[in-house]
Amino acid sequence: RAVKLIAVVEKKKKINAIAKKLRAMGCAIQLVLKQTGVITGDSGQRPLSAIHIPGLKSVEEDRTITQQNKSTD
């Protein structure tokens, strides 16, 4: 099953090459954020633990955080 991911690169200047390698592995890339060195997308058919590319600092599951409104009762 595809998992949403956040990948952080070691060197920002290599981010496009790493995004290209992720695509070649079957990952769907949503955003390539050159300023921060972050790539977002989903893992395709691979588990996150199987994504190993030289130059990647980390690959983690993208989690959605929601804020609950406090009641004023």
Side-chain angles (χ1 to χ4, degrees):
R1 102 186 201 279
V3 175
K4 289 188 177 200
L5 65 85
I6 297 175
V8 179
V9 299
E10 292 175 353
K11 296 183 179 179
K12 295 175 193 175
K13 65 182 178 181
K14 298 195 177 210
I15 195 167
N16 288 326
I18 292 172
K20 186 176 181 178
K21 289 178 184 178
L22 287 168
R23 284 187 188 97
M25 293 176 73
C27 296
I29 303 303
Q30 290 178 323
L31 295 172
V32 176
L33 305 170
K34 294 178 186 178
Q35 295 279 334
T36 58
V38 173
I39 300 168
T40 67
D42 75 56
S43 65
Q45 298 300 314
R46 294 179 181 267
L48 293 182
S49 60
I51 299 175
H52 300 285
I53 296 175
L56 272 181
K57 188 183 294 185
S58 65
V59 179
E60 298 180 16
E61 184 175 354
D62 184 4
R63 296 180 184 90
T64 301
I65 299 172
T66 58
Q67 181 179 356
Q68 295 180 353
N69 293 331
K70 293 185 178 181
S71 176
T72 55
D73 295 276

